[in-house]
Each structure stands twice: as structure tokens, then as C-alpha cells.
Amino acid sequence: MSLNTGQTLTVSGQDLTRNGSSSGSSSGRAPWEDARMVLKPSTPSRKPKPPKPENAITIAVSSRVLFNMEKEQQIYEQQGMEDYIKYQVEHETEPFSPGPAFSFVKALEAVNTRLRELYPESEELFDVVLMTNNHAYVGLRLINTINHHQLFIERFCMTGGNSPIGYLKAYHTNLYLSADPLKVREALEEGIAAATMFTPEKMKEVSDTQLRVAFDGDAVLFSDESERIFKAHGLDKFFEHEKAHENKPLDHGPLKGFLEALGKLQKKFYGKGQRMDCPIRTYLVTARSAASSGTRALKTLRSWGLEIDEALFLAGAPKGPMLEKIRPHIFFDDQMFHVEGAAEMGTVACHVPYGIAQRVTKKGIMDKEISSGPK
Amino acid sequence: MKTAGSEEGVKTGDKKDADRAVVVAVTSRAVFECGADDDEVYKVGAAFPLLQALQRVNERLLEENPAEALLFDVVLITTDRQQQQQSSSIISSTRHHGLEVSRFCFSSEEDFIESLLKNNVQLFLSTDGGEALQASQKGVLSALLDRQTASCPSEQLRVLFCGDAVIQPDTGPTPASRQAAQSFSAQLGEMRRKFSVFDSPLSIVMVTSRGGRESCCAALLALRSRGVSVDEAYCLAGAPRGPILSLLRPHFLLRDGFSSLDE
């Protein structure tokens, strides 16, 4: 099916059904808007055109985080490439089941739907690109799976073993998610926001109408400068230092740009009077304490012109239970200890292998050095 | 070794099994930077890494099976009078640079197409768009080489299929050239199957520029039905081609009919 370039539909046939049945999003609309939606042409086979990469917020996901390919991964590790490919081709018509990034991608699409309603001509949308090392032999199974789950993914790179880094840049990638920590590190080194995604044993249910993204502060949104103090001198010194330097903004970390991109989209909803009903919500979940070191974090964000919807200062307490309450689609942290803690309680957590935490084991407090992660 | 007139070929090296060999003709201007008239040996040109890559494929095919008949048969062809008169320099340059050319065709503007047809050329490669177009119109599968080709790796032959053209063939080219494209790609597919997934001297790459995943899916299936298994697939859905193509570094691009890398 070729993409129809002549028309721009504001709502595709697929979305009409979804909007009709979803409960959360209809409250903010005026009655005439609902009527207008019913009257729009419904052509279920017509898909909206993907935005130009330079206009969009591009999220690149690998096949193993988008879908559950555990069984196939095992075959690859135990029996080698030829058997792996043979198995994939034999099961070509069997769709994979969802992986940890799946609900995140669905939430991105829900935001896009809302954005298209409000700004039909705009290309400021999320664009999800499948970026996989797989050979194109596996391609058909991946495409069949995307079709089966009705995901809106029209762009992909199946590099057949070659590095994805160049392609990430060519697509102006704003965020890269992969199960492979080596690729994630490479991407970070090239200045691309990236994180290694892990699969929790049991994934907690998340919203399908509101995208929720949670960030750790130090070495994720902010640089690791303060983290270094923490590692060298402990928690109390860290709090003291932060209070003393409250008014000096921290340097930015690898995921600052992504928060910025989310903020830009949020403002588009605020601009149309949808602050209360905004389908994007951001959270800061930090070991900093509200009483002392937290202020510096908030002031830094303000100096960058960025807002965060909820800031949770845990003063060193475990993050898992808090995240379990928030139910984010994705949580970024630079320390495996927190990533694992979050995953244990059902949150999809990603490791950002950046900064001092990757090299130094914390003295006296349980922490783990970077491991290669589950395959 | 005979020096022949304008239309007959000159054989050097082993004779390839006529039925199975994949005859690829490359113009001398693509292979050499032709210098002054009295130059004995020319510098290498844009198509040099491509020829090395073709040679590498042959070497590996023979490693797998010393009796292999499905090999590339490289013909060096001149397409204008000036080059035609440089025949001895061309031959000595070929030797000097260690290129394996099985035949030379010293043709001119008027008869090079005839030479292509007589020699059963299955793929014609030139840096001249006009020549490639002419050949394509006469039913010879052609591809345009450019400066980019010069920087492509010689360790692996990288062939790019245009996915959009696979499922929506151009209205331009003749049925003969479409047929030529299909049989060439089938042979390429067969060659590819002789190697494993890793460490292949030949990589088949497919790019779907305009279409999305439906087009890509259809193109993969269409190629598979021709016996071509794609190694790398890129679906652009309207994203700019340039940055992706420069990363892919293909030696040439195949569409049904006339092909150009810089469309």
C-alpha cells in the first residue's frame, strides 16, 4: 500500500474507533468537536503520513524491547545464527507478544492522536522507528507483528549486523532504547539520549491515554557532578554541598533533551487549554531530599526553562514503591540498583550507563557496578 | 593473445562457463582515470573498488566450490573512439593494477550497445548517464556509477535494490530490460545463498524510500519469490534518502530498468 500524499486526514479510521471507545479523552472536548469527528470520512485503510525526521521527536526502539523475543534470543545464544534465522522464518506468521517498550510506544501513539486533533497540520509528533540489528530475513515476522498489534511504525532499519549509530543520527533520534548495553553506550558517546531497557518479571498495568515518563535526577537529567561528591564523601556531605550551591545550576545530563522535547509537546496542549487533561506527565524521582539538595534540582530545571509535573524527593529511600504508585511507562536511572528495584515492583526501568556510577562501587552502601544486563 | 578490432573481444584469463557466468561490463572510463595519450599505465577510477569487490566474490565462491561456474565474468568495454584507440594502455593498466578482466571490448559510440548484446552482458556499469540510458533502452540492465562508488568498501560487494521499484516497476523501461533485471537479481540471489549469514562477500540491501511498511513487506516478498533473500532492509516512508544512502555505501543500485544512485 503506498502512502497517499495528496490528503491530510486529521483522524484515521483506526483512531476513530479508538477515540470512540476510550473513556479518558472525551471529557475535554466541546460537543461540536465530537460531532465533527463522527462526520469525518472514515477510511480504515488510510494512515496518516509520518512526519519529517527533523520535525518529529524520534524514538528508536530495538526489536527485543518492543517485542518479547526471549525464546528466539535463547535459540540464538545456544544454537547460533543459522538456527535462529531458520526458526524466525518458520514462525514468520506468528506475531511476537509485547515487550517492555510496547506500552510506551502505544502511549506515544495516543499522544500523537491527541496532537493531530489539535494541530492537524503540525509535524511536531512522535515518530517511532524500529532500529534492529536483525537481518531482513527476520523482517517479515517483525512487520507481521507490527500489523497484528496495529502499531504505527512505518520506518525501520534492519542493519543485518551493522552498527545502528549512523542511522540513529540520520533520523535525528531523540531517544534510543535497546536491550544491548554496548549499543546504548555507543549512542550516548555520540551524544544521543539512550538507555538499556530491562523486562520486569511482571509488568504493572499502565495508562493507555496518558504517557508517563519518570526520570532520576543526577546523571540522567543532570550531569554526574554532584553524584561524584556523593560517591566520594557520602550522603550527608552531598546534602551540604547541594545546599551551599543551591543557586548554581547543574550541568545537563544525557536525558535533558528528551525532557525538553516532552515539555515542548506539553506546551502545545496547554496552549489549547488542556493543562488538566494533558496526555503527557513527567516525574522526577530522586534520592535528593526536599529539605536540602532538592532545591538545587528544581532551580536548575527552572533555569533551563523546563517544567516537571511531579518531583519526588526520596532522601535516599528506595524508588520501587514510589514508582509502583506512579505507574510510569518508562523510568530512567543511572544506577542498576534503582533500575532493578523498580523492575522488581513491575515498573519498566531503563539504565542510562552514564557518569561516575558506572565506574565506582559506592562505599558502605549496597550498589552494583554496571553489569552487561539480561540478554 | 590477440588484439582484436572494434567488436571482437580479447580473451585473457580463464574462460568462464558461458551458461552460468554473470557477465558484467564496465566502461574503461569508469575503471581508469585516463590520462595523456602516451601514458602507459592509468590511475584507477571510480569503479576500482567495485571491481575488487566482484573479484572478492569470485574468490570466495571458488573457495566454497573450486568447480563453481556461477561467477562474475568481468568485461571491460570502451564506449568512444578516443578510448578505443587507447587499447594497449588499457590492457597494460589492467595488468598493472591486478584486475581480473576476462574480455576487452574496444568499441566506439556507435557500436558499444551491439557489443553489449553480443557478449550477453547482464549488467552494464558506466559513469555516463547517457550511455547507461541508451543501453537500458535497448534492454540491457544498466546502473550508473558515481564518485560515491569510489569510496565504497572493496571487501564486500554491496548491491542496493530499490524496494519501491520492485513492487511498482517503472513505466519507462522495456519488458526486455525488466526481464534482464529479474534474471540478474535471481542470479545474485543464488550467489548469495552460497555464503552464510556472517562474513559474506556479497550483501543485498533493500531501501523502500516512499512507501511504508506495507511496501517494504511486499518488496521483501517479491524479491523472495525471485530467489533473492535480503540482508539489510531500510524503510524510509518519505524520510530523506541522502543520509541513509551515504551510510549504506552501495556499489550500485538496481531498479527494473535504468538505475541511478542520485535520483
PDB file of all heavy atoms in Angstrom, chain A residues 1 82 92 135-137 140 147 151 153-156 158 162 166-167, chain B residues 196-197 212-215 224 229-237 247-248:
ATOM      1  N   MET A   1       0.857  -1.203   0.000  1.00  0.00           N
ATOM      2  CA  MET A   1       0.000   0.000   0.000  1.00  0.00           C
ATOM      3  C   MET A   1       0.877   1.231   0.000  1.00  0.00           C
ATOM      4  O   MET A   1       1.774   1.340   0.805  1.00  0.00           O
ATOM      5  CB  MET A   1      -0.858  -0.031   1.271  1.00  0.00           C
ATOM      6  CG  MET A   1      -1.906   1.034   1.282  1.00  0.00           C
ATOM      7  SD  MET A   1      -2.653   1.142   2.911  1.00  0.00           S
ATOM      8  CE  MET A   1      -1.780   2.504   3.593  1.00  0.00           C
ATOM      9  N   GLU A  82      22.338 -19.390  12.326  1.00  0.00           N
ATOM     10  CA  GLU A  82      21.597 -20.072  11.254  1.00  0.00           C
ATOM     11  C   GLU A  82      20.300 -20.659  11.794  1.00  0.00           C
ATOM     12  O   GLU A  82      19.230 -20.507  11.190  1.00  0.00           O
ATOM     13  CB  GLU A  82      22.456 -21.176  10.615  1.00  0.00           C
ATOM     14  CG  GLU A  82      23.804 -20.698  10.072  1.00  0.00           C
ATOM     15  CD  GLU A  82      23.732 -20.069   8.677  1.00  0.00           C
ATOM     16  OE1 GLU A  82      22.641 -20.099   8.052  1.00  0.00           O
ATOM     17  OE2 GLU A  82      24.746 -19.532   8.218  1.00  0.00           O
ATOM     18  N   GLU A  92       7.224 -17.146  10.838  1.00  0.00           N
ATOM     19  CA  GLU A  92       7.019 -15.805  10.284  1.00  0.00           C
ATOM     20  C   GLU A  92       5.636 -15.221  10.484  1.00  0.00           C
ATOM     21  O   GLU A  92       5.466 -14.025  10.630  1.00  0.00           O
ATOM     22  CB  GLU A  92       7.291 -15.874   8.780  1.00  0.00           C
ATOM     23  CG  GLU A  92       7.867 -14.620   8.198  1.00  0.00           C
ATOM     24  CD  GLU A  92       8.464 -14.928   6.860  1.00  0.00           C
ATOM     25  OE1 GLU A  92       7.698 -15.280   5.933  1.00  0.00           O
ATOM     26  OE2 GLU A  92       9.690 -14.831   6.745  1.00  0.00           O
ATOM     27  N   HIS A 135      18.806  -9.352  10.726  1.00  0.00           N
ATOM     28  CA  HIS A 135      18.819  -9.398   9.268  1.00  0.00           C
ATOM     29  C   HIS A 135      17.401  -9.276   8.747  1.00  0.00           C
ATOM     30  O   HIS A 135      16.440  -9.576   9.455  1.00  0.00           O
ATOM     31  CB  HIS A 135      19.409 -10.736   8.800  1.00  0.00           C
ATOM     32  CG  HIS A 135      20.894 -10.762   8.862  1.00  0.00           C
ATOM     33  ND1 HIS A 135      21.581 -10.784  10.037  1.00  0.00           N
ATOM     34  CD2 HIS A 135      21.824 -10.760   7.887  1.00  0.00           C
ATOM     35  CE1 HIS A 135      22.885 -10.794   9.788  1.00  0.00           C
ATOM     36  NE2 HIS A 135      23.057 -10.788   8.495  1.00  0.00           N
ATOM     37  N   ALA A 136      17.293  -8.864   7.518  1.00  0.00           N
ATOM     38  CA  ALA A 136      15.970  -8.671   6.928  1.00  0.00           C
ATOM     39  C   ALA A 136      15.201  -9.985   6.804  1.00  0.00           C
ATOM     40  O   ALA A 136      14.001  -9.968   6.553  1.00  0.00           O
ATOM     41  CB  ALA A 136      16.088  -7.996   5.569  1.00  0.00           C
ATOM     42  N   TYR A 137      15.871 -11.107   6.995  1.00  0.00           N
ATOM     43  CA  TYR A 137      15.152 -12.398   6.982  1.00  0.00           C
ATOM     44  C   TYR A 137      14.099 -12.416   8.084  1.00  0.00           C
ATOM     45  O   TYR A 137      13.065 -13.065   7.968  1.00  0.00           O
ATOM     46  CB  TYR A 137      16.109 -13.577   7.255  1.00  0.00           C
ATOM     47  CG  TYR A 137      17.272 -13.684   6.308  1.00  0.00           C
ATOM     48  CD1 TYR A 137      18.575 -13.639   6.784  1.00  0.00           C
ATOM     49  CD2 TYR A 137      17.087 -13.846   4.938  1.00  0.00           C
ATOM     50  CE1 TYR A 137      19.656 -13.752   5.934  1.00  0.00           C
ATOM     51  CE2 TYR A 137      18.168 -13.957   4.086  1.00  0.00           C
ATOM     52  CZ  TYR A 137      19.451 -13.906   4.589  1.00  0.00           C
ATOM     53  OH  TYR A 137      20.528 -13.997   3.758  1.00  0.00           O
ATOM     54  N   LEU A 140      10.142  -9.897   7.932  1.00  0.00           N
ATOM     55  CA  LEU A 140       8.733 -10.161   7.667  1.00  0.00           C
ATOM     56  C   LEU A 140       7.986 -10.491   8.952  1.00  0.00           C
ATOM     57  O   LEU A 140       6.841 -10.066   9.136  1.00  0.00           O
ATOM     58  CB  LEU A 140       8.589 -11.279   6.636  1.00  0.00           C
ATOM     59  CG  LEU A 140       8.913 -10.772   5.222  1.00  0.00           C
ATOM     60  CD1 LEU A 140       9.223 -11.911   4.280  1.00  0.00           C
ATOM     61  CD2 LEU A 140       7.762  -9.950   4.663  1.00  0.00           C
ATOM     62  N   ASN A 147       1.855  -5.220  12.292  1.00  0.00           N
ATOM     63  CA  ASN A 147       0.497  -5.216  11.739  1.00  0.00           C
ATOM     64  C   ASN A 147      -0.495  -5.790  12.740  1.00  0.00           C
ATOM     65  O   ASN A 147      -1.556  -5.218  12.992  1.00  0.00           O
ATOM     66  CB  ASN A 147       0.428  -6.050  10.457  1.00  0.00           C
ATOM     67  CG  ASN A 147       1.152  -5.392   9.298  1.00  0.00           C
ATOM     68  OD1 ASN A 147       1.377  -4.188   9.300  1.00  0.00           O
ATOM     69  ND2 ASN A 147       1.522  -6.178   8.304  1.00  0.00           N
ATOM     70  N   LEU A 151       0.378  -1.265  15.451  1.00  0.00           N
ATOM     71  CA  LEU A 151       1.298  -0.198  15.832  1.00  0.00           C
ATOM     72  C   LEU A 151       1.540   0.705  14.635  1.00  0.00           C
ATOM     73  O   LEU A 151       1.540   0.247  13.496  1.00  0.00           O
ATOM     74  CB  LEU A 151       2.639  -0.793  16.276  1.00  0.00           C
ATOM     75  CG  LEU A 151       2.637  -1.565  17.581  1.00  0.00           C
ATOM     76  CD1 LEU A 151       3.990  -2.213  17.802  1.00  0.00           C
ATOM     77  CD2 LEU A 151       2.292  -0.658  18.742  1.00  0.00           C
ATOM     78  N   ILE A 153       4.166   2.092  13.083  1.00  0.00           N
ATOM     79  CA  ILE A 153       5.608   2.190  12.834  1.00  0.00           C
ATOM     80  C   ILE A 153       5.821   1.996  11.345  1.00  0.00           C
ATOM     81  O   ILE A 153       5.573   0.926  10.802  1.00  0.00           O
ATOM     82  CB  ILE A 153       6.381   1.113  13.632  1.00  0.00           C
ATOM     83  CG1 ILE A 153       6.188   1.340  15.129  1.00  0.00           C
ATOM     84  CG2 ILE A 153       7.872   1.153  13.279  1.00  0.00           C
ATOM     85  CD1 ILE A 153       6.841   0.291  16.001  1.00  0.00           C
ATOM     86  N   GLU A 154       6.269   3.065  10.672  1.00  0.00           N
ATOM     87  CA  GLU A 154       6.450   2.982   9.221  1.00  0.00           C
ATOM     88  C   GLU A 154       7.906   3.035   8.820  1.00  0.00           C
ATOM     89  O   GLU A 154       8.251   2.854   7.667  1.00  0.00           O
ATOM     90  CB  GLU A 154       5.705   4.132   8.526  1.00  0.00           C
ATOM     91  CG  GLU A 154       4.208   4.098   8.696  1.00  0.00           C
ATOM     92  CD  GLU A 154       3.571   2.904   8.003  1.00  0.00           C
ATOM     93  OE1 GLU A 154       4.132   2.365   7.045  1.00  0.00           O
ATOM     94  OE2 GLU A 154       2.481   2.485   8.449  1.00  0.00           O
ATOM     95  N   ARG A 155       8.758   3.321   9.775  1.00  0.00           N
ATOM     96  CA  ARG A 155      10.182   3.447   9.444  1.00  0.00           C
ATOM     97  C   ARG A 155      10.977   2.417  10.202  1.00  0.00           C
ATOM     98  O   ARG A 155      10.781   2.242  11.404  1.00  0.00           O
ATOM     99  CB  ARG A 155      10.689   4.841   9.836  1.00  0.00           C
ATOM    100  CG  ARG A 155      10.044   5.927   9.033  1.00  0.00           C
ATOM    101  CD  ARG A 155      10.605   7.286   9.289  1.00  0.00           C
ATOM    102  NE  ARG A 155      10.139   8.157   8.219  1.00  0.00           N
ATOM    103  CZ  ARG A 155       9.671   9.388   8.408  1.00  0.00           C
ATOM    104  NH1 ARG A 155       9.655   9.906   9.628  1.00  0.00           N
ATOM    105  NH2 ARG A 155       9.248  10.087   7.385  1.00  0.00           N
ATOM    106  N   PHE A 156      11.873   1.741   9.493  1.00  0.00           N
ATOM    107  CA  PHE A 156      12.763   0.860  10.229  1.00  0.00           C
ATOM    108  C   PHE A 156      14.086   0.677   9.519  1.00  0.00           C
ATOM    109  O   PHE A 156      14.232   0.923   8.330  1.00  0.00           O
ATOM    110  CB  PHE A 156      12.132  -0.497  10.546  1.00  0.00           C
ATOM    111  CG  PHE A 156      11.248  -1.057   9.500  1.00  0.00           C
ATOM    112  CD1 PHE A 156      11.754  -1.833   8.480  1.00  0.00           C
ATOM    113  CD2 PHE A 156       9.887  -0.824   9.546  1.00  0.00           C
ATOM    114  CE1 PHE A 156      10.927  -2.370   7.524  1.00  0.00           C
ATOM    115  CE2 PHE A 156       9.043  -1.363   8.587  1.00  0.00           C
ATOM    116  CZ  PHE A 156       9.564  -2.134   7.577  1.00  0.00           C
ATOM    117  N   MET A 158      16.839  -2.414   9.402  1.00  0.00           N
ATOM    118  CA  MET A 158      17.294  -3.756   9.784  1.00  0.00           C
ATOM    119  C   MET A 158      18.698  -3.870   9.255  1.00  0.00           C
ATOM    120  O   MET A 158      18.901  -4.082   8.066  1.00  0.00           O
ATOM    121  CB  MET A 158      16.388  -4.811   9.150  1.00  0.00           C
ATOM    122  CG  MET A 158      14.989  -4.709   9.677  1.00  0.00           C
ATOM    123  SD  MET A 158      13.897  -5.743   8.704  1.00  0.00           S
ATOM    124  CE  MET A 158      12.322  -5.248   9.357  1.00  0.00           C
ATOM    125  N   ASN A 162      25.173  -4.608  11.150  1.00  0.00           N
ATOM    126  CA  ASN A 162      25.980  -3.381  11.168  1.00  0.00           C
ATOM    127  C   ASN A 162      25.533  -2.454  12.287  1.00  0.00           C
ATOM    128  O   ASN A 162      24.411  -2.527  12.754  1.00  0.00           O
ATOM    129  CB  ASN A 162      25.845  -2.640   9.823  1.00  0.00           C
ATOM    130  CG  ASN A 162      26.437  -3.444   8.692  1.00  0.00           C
ATOM    131  OD1 ASN A 162      27.509  -4.009   8.809  1.00  0.00           O
ATOM    132  ND2 ASN A 162      25.702  -3.528   7.583  1.00  0.00           N
ATOM    133  N   GLY A 166      25.043   5.297  13.013  1.00  0.00           N
ATOM    134  CA  GLY A 166      24.903   6.242  11.896  1.00  0.00           C
ATOM    135  C   GLY A 166      23.446   6.488  11.555  1.00  0.00           C
ATOM    136  O   GLY A 166      23.035   7.620  11.274  1.00  0.00           O
ATOM    137  N   TYR A 167      22.654   5.411  11.579  1.00  0.00           N
ATOM    138  CA  TYR A 167      21.242   5.543  11.221  1.00  0.00           C
ATOM    139  C   TYR A 167      20.486   6.321  12.289  1.00  0.00           C
ATOM    140  O   TYR A 167      19.567   7.081  11.984  1.00  0.00           O
ATOM    141  CB  TYR A 167      20.616   4.164  10.997  1.00  0.00           C
ATOM    142  CG  TYR A 167      21.368   3.381   9.959  1.00  0.00           C
ATOM    143  CD1 TYR A 167      22.194   2.318  10.332  1.00  0.00           C
ATOM    144  CD2 TYR A 167      21.292   3.714   8.607  1.00  0.00           C
ATOM    145  CE1 TYR A 167      22.911   1.627   9.384  1.00  0.00           C
ATOM    146  CE2 TYR A 167      22.018   3.021   7.659  1.00  0.00           C
ATOM    147  CZ  TYR A 167      22.824   1.978   8.048  1.00  0.00           C
ATOM    148  OH  TYR A 167      23.557   1.297   7.127  1.00  0.00           O
TER     149      TYR A 167
ATOM    150  N   SER B 196      27.177 -17.978   4.107  1.00  0.00           N
ATOM    151  CA  SER B 196      26.341 -17.960   5.308  1.00  0.00           C
ATOM    152  C   SER B 196      25.945 -16.521   5.631  1.00  0.00           C
ATOM    153  O   SER B 196      26.330 -15.586   4.930  1.00  0.00           O
ATOM    154  CB  SER B 196      27.102 -18.575   6.486  1.00  0.00           C
ATOM    155  OG  SER B 196      28.075 -17.653   6.938  1.00  0.00           O
ATOM    156  N   VAL B 197      25.205 -16.379   6.733  1.00  0.00           N
ATOM    157  CA  VAL B 197      24.729 -15.056   7.128  1.00  0.00           C
ATOM    158  C   VAL B 197      25.897 -14.134   7.486  1.00  0.00           C
ATOM    159  O   VAL B 197      25.914 -12.957   7.146  1.00  0.00           O
ATOM    160  CB  VAL B 197      23.753 -15.179   8.325  1.00  0.00           C
ATOM    161  CG1 VAL B 197      23.286 -13.824   8.759  1.00  0.00           C
ATOM    162  CG2 VAL B 197      22.569 -16.027   7.932  1.00  0.00           C
ATOM    163  N   GLY B 212       5.792   2.842   3.089  1.00  0.00           N
ATOM    164  CA  GLY B 212       5.988   2.448   4.479  1.00  0.00           C
ATOM    165  C   GLY B 212       6.111   0.950   4.583  1.00  0.00           C
ATOM    166  O   GLY B 212       6.533   0.273   3.639  1.00  0.00           O
ATOM    167  N   ARG B 213       5.704   0.413   5.733  1.00  0.00           N
ATOM    168  CA  ARG B 213       5.991  -1.000   5.972  1.00  0.00           C
ATOM    169  C   ARG B 213       5.228  -1.941   5.038  1.00  0.00           C
ATOM    170  O   ARG B 213       5.717  -3.024   4.728  1.00  0.00           O
ATOM    171  CB  ARG B 213       5.755  -1.361   7.427  1.00  0.00           C
ATOM    172  CG  ARG B 213       4.317  -1.338   7.859  1.00  0.00           C
ATOM    173  CD  ARG B 213       4.193  -1.896   9.273  1.00  0.00           C
ATOM    174  NE  ARG B 213       2.807  -2.084   9.630  1.00  0.00           N
ATOM    175  CZ  ARG B 213       2.069  -1.160  10.211  1.00  0.00           C
ATOM    176  NH1 ARG B 213       2.591   0.021  10.493  1.00  0.00           N
ATOM    177  NH2 ARG B 213       0.796  -1.404  10.515  1.00  0.00           N
ATOM    178  N   GLU B 214       4.065  -1.525   4.559  1.00  0.00           N
ATOM    179  CA  GLU B 214       3.339  -2.382   3.615  1.00  0.00           C
ATOM    180  C   GLU B 214       4.151  -2.555   2.338  1.00  0.00           C
ATOM    181  O   GLU B 214       4.270  -3.663   1.805  1.00  0.00           O
ATOM    182  CB  GLU B 214       1.979  -1.772   3.257  1.00  0.00           C
ATOM    183  CG  GLU B 214       1.002  -1.679   4.413  1.00  0.00           C
ATOM    184  CD  GLU B 214       0.670  -3.046   4.991  1.00  0.00           C
ATOM    185  OE1 GLU B 214       0.472  -3.997   4.214  1.00  0.00           O
ATOM    186  OE2 GLU B 214       0.623  -3.157   6.230  1.00  0.00           O
ATOM    187  N   SER B 215       4.693  -1.438   1.841  1.00  0.00           N
ATOM    188  CA  SER B 215       5.508  -1.509   0.627  1.00  0.00           C
ATOM    189  C   SER B 215       6.740  -2.355   0.864  1.00  0.00           C
ATOM    190  O   SER B 215       7.125  -3.172   0.025  1.00  0.00           O
ATOM    191  CB  SER B 215       5.968  -0.118   0.200  1.00  0.00           C
ATOM    192  OG  SER B 215       4.871   0.726   0.026  1.00  0.00           O
ATOM    193  N   ARG B 224      11.866 -12.272  -2.546  1.00  0.00           N
ATOM    194  CA  ARG B 224      11.994 -13.663  -2.112  1.00  0.00           C
ATOM    195  C   ARG B 224      11.465 -14.609  -3.189  1.00  0.00           C
ATOM    196  O   ARG B 224      12.044 -15.663  -3.438  1.00  0.00           O
ATOM    197  CB  ARG B 224      11.223 -13.870  -0.818  1.00  0.00           C
ATOM    198  CG  ARG B 224      11.396 -15.261  -0.255  1.00  0.00           C
ATOM    199  CD  ARG B 224      10.381 -15.506   0.798  1.00  0.00           C
ATOM    200  NE  ARG B 224      10.863 -15.073   2.092  1.00  0.00           N
ATOM    201  CZ  ARG B 224      10.175 -15.225   3.223  1.00  0.00           C
ATOM    202  NH1 ARG B 224       8.983 -15.788   3.205  1.00  0.00           N
ATOM    203  NH2 ARG B 224      10.665 -14.816   4.357  1.00  0.00           N
ATOM    204  N   SER B 229      17.160 -13.284  -1.142  1.00  0.00           N
ATOM    205  CA  SER B 229      16.974 -13.019   0.275  1.00  0.00           C
ATOM    206  C   SER B 229      17.749 -11.770   0.645  1.00  0.00           C
ATOM    207  O   SER B 229      18.950 -11.698   0.428  1.00  0.00           O
ATOM    208  CB  SER B 229      17.480 -14.203   1.113  1.00  0.00           C
ATOM    209  OG  SER B 229      16.581 -15.253   1.058  1.00  0.00           O
ATOM    210  N   VAL B 230      17.061 -10.825   1.213  1.00  0.00           N
ATOM    211  CA  VAL B 230      17.662  -9.526   1.515  1.00  0.00           C
ATOM    212  C   VAL B 230      18.395  -9.584   2.856  1.00  0.00           C
ATOM    213  O   VAL B 230      17.878 -10.136   3.832  1.00  0.00           O
ATOM    214  CB  VAL B 230      16.545  -8.454   1.551  1.00  0.00           C
ATOM    215  CG1 VAL B 230      17.093  -7.111   1.972  1.00  0.00           C
ATOM    216  CG2 VAL B 230      15.884  -8.351   0.188  1.00  0.00           C
ATOM    217  N   ASP B 231      19.598  -9.019   2.895  1.00  0.00           N
ATOM    218  CA  ASP B 231      20.358  -8.988   4.153  1.00  0.00           C
ATOM    219  C   ASP B 231      19.966  -7.815   5.032  1.00  0.00           C
ATOM    220  O   ASP B 231      19.777  -7.953   6.228  1.00  0.00           O
ATOM    221  CB  ASP B 231      21.867  -8.866   3.856  1.00  0.00           C
ATOM    222  CG  ASP B 231      22.419 -10.119   3.240  1.00  0.00           C
ATOM    223  OD1 ASP B 231      22.484 -11.127   3.963  1.00  0.00           O
ATOM    224  OD2 ASP B 231      22.760 -10.100   2.043  1.00  0.00           O
ATOM    225  N   GLU B 232      19.906  -6.640   4.403  1.00  0.00           N
ATOM    226  CA  GLU B 232      19.591  -5.433   5.178  1.00  0.00           C
ATOM    227  C   GLU B 232      18.411  -4.727   4.532  1.00  0.00           C
ATOM    228  O   GLU B 232      18.364  -4.584   3.321  1.00  0.00           O
ATOM    229  CB  GLU B 232      20.779  -4.459   5.162  1.00  0.00           C
ATOM    230  CG  GLU B 232      22.078  -5.013   5.713  1.00  0.00           C
ATOM    231  CD  GLU B 232      23.261  -4.114   5.399  1.00  0.00           C
ATOM    232  OE1 GLU B 232      23.112  -2.881   5.492  1.00  0.00           O
ATOM    233  OE2 GLU B 232      24.334  -4.645   5.058  1.00  0.00           O
ATOM    234  N   ALA B 233      17.461  -4.284   5.336  1.00  0.00           N
ATOM    235  CA  ALA B 233      16.301  -3.591   4.783  1.00  0.00           C
ATOM    236  C   ALA B 233      16.083  -2.280   5.525  1.00  0.00           C
ATOM    237  O   ALA B 233      16.166  -2.223   6.750  1.00  0.00           O
ATOM    238  CB  ALA B 233      15.058  -4.464   4.894  1.00  0.00           C
ATOM    239  N   TYR B 234      15.833  -1.236   4.776  1.00  0.00           N
ATOM    240  CA  TYR B 234      15.606   0.082   5.355  1.00  0.00           C
ATOM    241  C   TYR B 234      14.332   0.638   4.763  1.00  0.00           C
ATOM    242  O   TYR B 234      14.179   0.729   3.549  1.00  0.00           O
ATOM    243  CB  TYR B 234      16.786   1.019   5.055  1.00  0.00           C
ATOM    244  CG  TYR B 234      18.081   0.460   5.598  1.00  0.00           C
ATOM    245  CD1 TYR B 234      18.817  -0.454   4.852  1.00  0.00           C
ATOM    246  CD2 TYR B 234      18.536   0.802   6.864  1.00  0.00           C
ATOM    247  CE1 TYR B 234      19.984  -1.017   5.363  1.00  0.00           C
ATOM    248  CE2 TYR B 234      19.704   0.256   7.378  1.00  0.00           C
ATOM    249  CZ  TYR B 234      20.416  -0.666   6.623  1.00  0.00           C
ATOM    250  OH  TYR B 234      21.554  -1.215   7.128  1.00  0.00           O
ATOM    251  N   CYS B 235      13.421   0.999   5.640  1.00  0.00           N
ATOM    252  CA  CYS B 235      12.161   1.551   5.174  1.00  0.00           C
ATOM    253  C   CYS B 235      12.114   3.000   5.606  1.00  0.00           C
ATOM    254  O   CYS B 235      12.139   3.307   6.792  1.00  0.00           O
ATOM    255  CB  CYS B 235      11.014   0.743   5.779  1.00  0.00           C
ATOM    256  SG  CYS B 235       9.428   1.209   5.129  1.00  0.00           S
ATOM    257  N   LEU B 236      12.054   3.901   4.620  1.00  0.00           N
ATOM    258  CA  LEU B 236      12.179   5.325   4.931  1.00  0.00           C
ATOM    259  C   LEU B 236      10.851   6.046   5.087  1.00  0.00           C
ATOM    260  O   LEU B 236      10.762   7.049   5.771  1.00  0.00           O
ATOM    261  CB  LEU B 236      13.001   6.015   3.830  1.00  0.00           C
ATOM    262  CG  LEU B 236      14.528   6.082   4.030  1.00  0.00           C
ATOM    263  CD1 LEU B 236      15.109   4.749   4.412  1.00  0.00           C
ATOM    264  CD2 LEU B 236      15.189   6.586   2.776  1.00  0.00           C
ATOM    265  N   ALA B 237       9.821   5.563   4.430  1.00  0.00           N
ATOM    266  CA  ALA B 237       8.495   6.206   4.482  1.00  0.00           C
ATOM    267  C   ALA B 237       8.606   7.716   4.297  1.00  0.00           C
ATOM    268  O   ALA B 237       8.051   8.495   5.067  1.00  0.00           O
ATOM    269  CB  ALA B 237       7.788   5.873   5.800  1.00  0.00           C
ATOM    270  N   LEU B 247      25.370   6.216   4.235  1.00  0.00           N
ATOM    271  CA  LEU B 247      25.792   5.249   5.254  1.00  0.00           C
ATOM    272  C   LEU B 247      25.837   3.839   4.675  1.00  0.00           C
ATOM    273  O   LEU B 247      26.645   3.010   5.076  1.00  0.00           O
ATOM    274  CB  LEU B 247      24.805   5.245   6.429  1.00  0.00           C
ATOM    275  CG  LEU B 247      24.830   6.460   7.343  1.00  0.00           C
ATOM    276  CD1 LEU B 247      23.581   6.475   8.206  1.00  0.00           C
ATOM    277  CD2 LEU B 247      26.072   6.438   8.207  1.00  0.00           C
ATOM    278  N   LEU B 248      24.921   3.568   3.735  1.00  0.00           N
ATOM    279  CA  LEU B 248      24.818   2.216   3.192  1.00  0.00           C
ATOM    280  C   LEU B 248      25.978   1.853   2.288  1.00  0.00           C
ATOM    281  O   LEU B 248      26.360   0.693   2.190  1.00  0.00           O
ATOM    282  CB  LEU B 248      23.508   2.059   2.414  1.00  0.00           C
ATOM    283  CG  LEU B 248      22.245   2.027   3.262  1.00  0.00           C
ATOM    284  CD1 LEU B 248      21.024   1.922   2.380  1.00  0.00           C
ATOM    285  CD2 LEU B 248      22.286   0.865   4.219  1.00  0.00           C
TER     286      LEU B 248
END
